[in-house]
Amino acid sequence: MKSLSILGATGSIGSNALEIIRQFPDRFTVIALTAKTQVALLARQIVEFTPRLAAVVDADHARQLRALLPPALDVEIVFGEAGYVEAATCRETDMVLGAMVGSAGLVPTLAAIDAGKDIALANKETLVMAGAIVMEKIAVRGVKLMPVDSEHSAIFQSMAGHGHHGIREILLTASGGPFLNRPAEEFTSITPRDALRHPNWSMGSKITIDSATLMNKGLEVIEARWLFDIDFSRIKVVVHPQSIVHSMVSYQDGAVMAQMGVPDMKGAIAYGLSHPGRLPLDVPSPDFAHIGQLTFETPDRARFPCLSLAYRAGEQGGTLPAVLNAANEVAVAAFLDNRLPFLGIYQIVDQTLNRHCANTGSDLGQLIEADRWARETALALIHRQER
Ligand code: NDP
Ligand code: MG
């Protein structure tokens, strides 16, 4: 029996994880669940999975949550960053599923590692911001870090039995998002509604926009650099619109190992939770004759310049990846709020990076300060555009 704390239980990854846990009650038990503000859904999850602790963003939402629960239900409700840390470090918890969105996941994830918990990590922003710190802590504490992002789960699986030895390149596949074939001159008219319509994957709104700009792939390049300790020059992105090949690893003898599956996050989540075993899931294998063709192409960095921004920030390192990530979070939120055009996301991130005095030091304090500075700067740039 594995005891789990799920950070971001009410999101797309969190809900999928709970669906898996529901199917395997003899394998998993839930110790803690967290959400930001979706208290009605969290209350239903608490009633069903009976965690002993739940955390939400603030005291007000904690009160709302309490009011929604049967008075006899024995669950401690906490809030704020300290509450999320409590959820991530419960004494009984074996593994923490990091499925919050954005940099909010960083501090609870670090606390979980410090407390000796194994980690299944979907929250890629944590590794983008502070990959060096996370990986060092993982090594020092000797805990397990399982990638949940489908590409990184695929790379992990493609390395099984080979390890790091003889790797030539990592090939991250990208669906290309909803605008793969849209001409550049039509990008100015893209609305949040258009961008939220992902062709293959059903995900939370932030990552769906990141997929449309290809920033998601850029964040994943940085994520791969840390998870697999490989230089940026050996991480390549290849567009694969069918999203069947989840990613690949090429070896020095020319062999390429790939992991395939239908585009359903349940596979990668379940593998993260159950490794080294595999769970009997109700996910079909790809029907190759029906699919017919698997195609691959080079990403168009002129139409999707966010990819180059992420390589630039990742290669320069220091505080730049944290700045890239924070500026992107702010810009995506403004786009979803109809306060910034689609192309403005790239512009705001680029301008924020250009204004940043890159700090080569990158202790946690410096990264958190860089995150704060980038949010403030990106917001000011957006306000200036609005005037
Ligand atoms: P969602 O937006 O669907 O869910 C996010 C979850 O985090 C919700 O539970 C939300 O609570 C909570 N949350 C949001 N903001 C905060 C905050 N500031 N503090 C605390 N909790 C917060 O996101 P996804 O499930 O799509 O993605 C989660 C992470 O997994 C992201 O980092 C994403 O990049 C990554 N990922 C997602 C994939 C997917 O298929 N969805 C695939 C690969 C990676 P509430 O519901 O109350 O707002
Ligand atoms: Mg991914």
Side-chain angles (χ1 to χ4, degrees):
M1 183 71 87
K2 196 176 271 187
S3 301
L4 301 171
S5 287
I6 302 183
L7 311 181
T10 49
S12 163
I13 294 284
S15 306
N16 270 304
L18 288 172
E19 213 176 303
I20 294 163
I21 292 163
R22 181 181 293 127
Q23 287 171 37
F24 300 97
D26 51 332
R27 289 183 191 248
F28 302 111
T29 173
V30 176
I31 304 296
L33 294 175
T34 82
K36 185 181 183 188
T37 55
Q38 281 206 74
V39 287
L41 176 54
L42 183 61
R44 289 199 295 279
Q45 294 177 340
I46 292 171
V47 168
E48 179 178 356
F49 293 97
T50 62
R52 78 152 178 82
L53 187 119
V56 289
V57 71
D58 54 27
D60 193 32
H61 287 88
R63 270 192 297 276
Q64 291 176 32
L65 177 62
R66 171 55 71 196
L68 289 168
L69 292 169
L73 198 71
D74 184 19
V75 55
E76 187 184 349
I77 296 174
V78 293
F79 59 85
E81 190 171 83
Y84 295 135
V85 166
E86 234 182 291
T89 57
C90 288
R91 189 180 42 77
E92 313 90 311
T93 294
D94 301 317
M95 182 174 238
V96 173
L97 173 62
M100 281 182 181
V101 64
S103 62
L106 176 63
V107 169
T109 305
L110 292 177
I113 300 168
D114 282 338
K117 311 301 182 191
D118 287 335
I119 310 288
L121 195 63
N123 175 223
K124 66 191 82 185
E125 294 91 342
T126 282
L127 280 174
V128 171
M129 260 188 94
I133 295 174
V134 172
M135 296 316 288
E136 194 192 324
K137 275 187 189 289
I138 292 279
V140 168
R141 287 296 295 167
V143 296
K144 181 153 128 176
L145 174 59
M146 287 301 298
V148 170
D149 210 348
S150 60
E151 294 76 4
H152 305 75
S153 176
I155 293 161
F156 181 92
Q157 293 179 60
S158 299
M159 285 168 64
H162 301 269
H164 278 68
H165 184 69
I167 290 179
R168 190 176 274 166
E169 277 175 352
I170 281 178
L171 302 164
L172 277 177
T173 51
S175 70
F179 309 127
L180 176 60
N181 298 313
R182 186 175 291 221
E185 57 276 16
E186 289 176 21
F187 273 44
T188 47
S189 62
I190 291 172
T191 65
R193 254 187 78 176
D194 301 332
L196 285 170
R197 239 180 266 131
H198 195 281
N200 303 346
W201 296 93
S202 157
M203 311 179 285
S205 55
K206 192 261 180 182
I207 184 176
T208 305
I209 303 306
D210 286 346
S211 300
T213 59
L214 249 63
M215 180 61 92
N216 182 51
K217 213 46 56 180
L219 300 179
E220 290 183 356
V221 167
I222 301 175
E223 184 184 12
R225 183 261 170 268
W226 293 113
L227 280 173
F228 306 110
D229 190 20
I230 186 165
D231 194 74
F232 285 101
S233 61
R234 294 199 292 145
I235 306 173
K236 299 278 154 66
V237 173
V238 56
V239 173
H240 167 49
Q242 296 82 17
S243 297
I244 297 294
V245 176
H246 292 331
S247 276
M248 304 178 263
V249 179
S250 75
Y251 285 90
Q252 60 190 4
D253 60 356
V256 178
M257 309 300 287
Q259 187 264 344
M260 293 187 253
V262 296
D264 183 330
M265 281 306 294
K266 281 207 276 305
I269 297 167
Y271 190 71
L273 298 181
S274 69
H275 175 269
R278 286 183 187 273
L279 295 173
L281 297 182
D282 57 358
V283 174
S285 300
D287 179 345
F288 289 104
H290 180 74
I291 295 163
Q293 284 188 326
L294 298 180
T295 60
F296 302 91
E297 56 191 276
T298 304
D300 180 348
R301 291 188 183 221
R303 278 184 308 138
F304 299 101
C306 286
L307 183 57
S308 300
L309 279 187
Y311 269 102
R312 184 177 118 202
E315 278 162 359
Q316 290 185 28
T319 44
L320 273 182
V323 169
L324 170 95
N325 178 65
N328 181 59
E329 283 187 34
V330 170
V332 169
F335 169 68
L336 284 168
D337 222 13
N338 285 306
R339 291 172 44 219
L340 189 70
F342 185 73
L343 292 172
I345 298 174
Y346 162 76
Q347 288 159 2
I348 294 296
V349 179
D350 182 46
Q351 288 168 21
T352 308
L353 282 173
N354 290 339
R355 279 172 170 69
H356 185 60
C357 300
N359 197 334
T360 47
S362 48
D363 65 30
L364 188 58
Q366 287 168 315
L367 293 175
I368 289 173
E369 169 54 22
D371 175 274
R372 189 205 58 74
W373 174 88
R375 281 168 202 276
E376 192 182 285
T377 304
L379 263 181
L381 288 166
I382 292 166
H383 284 152
R384 193 181 304 169
Q385 281 204 4
E386 281 177 325
R387 265 191 258 123

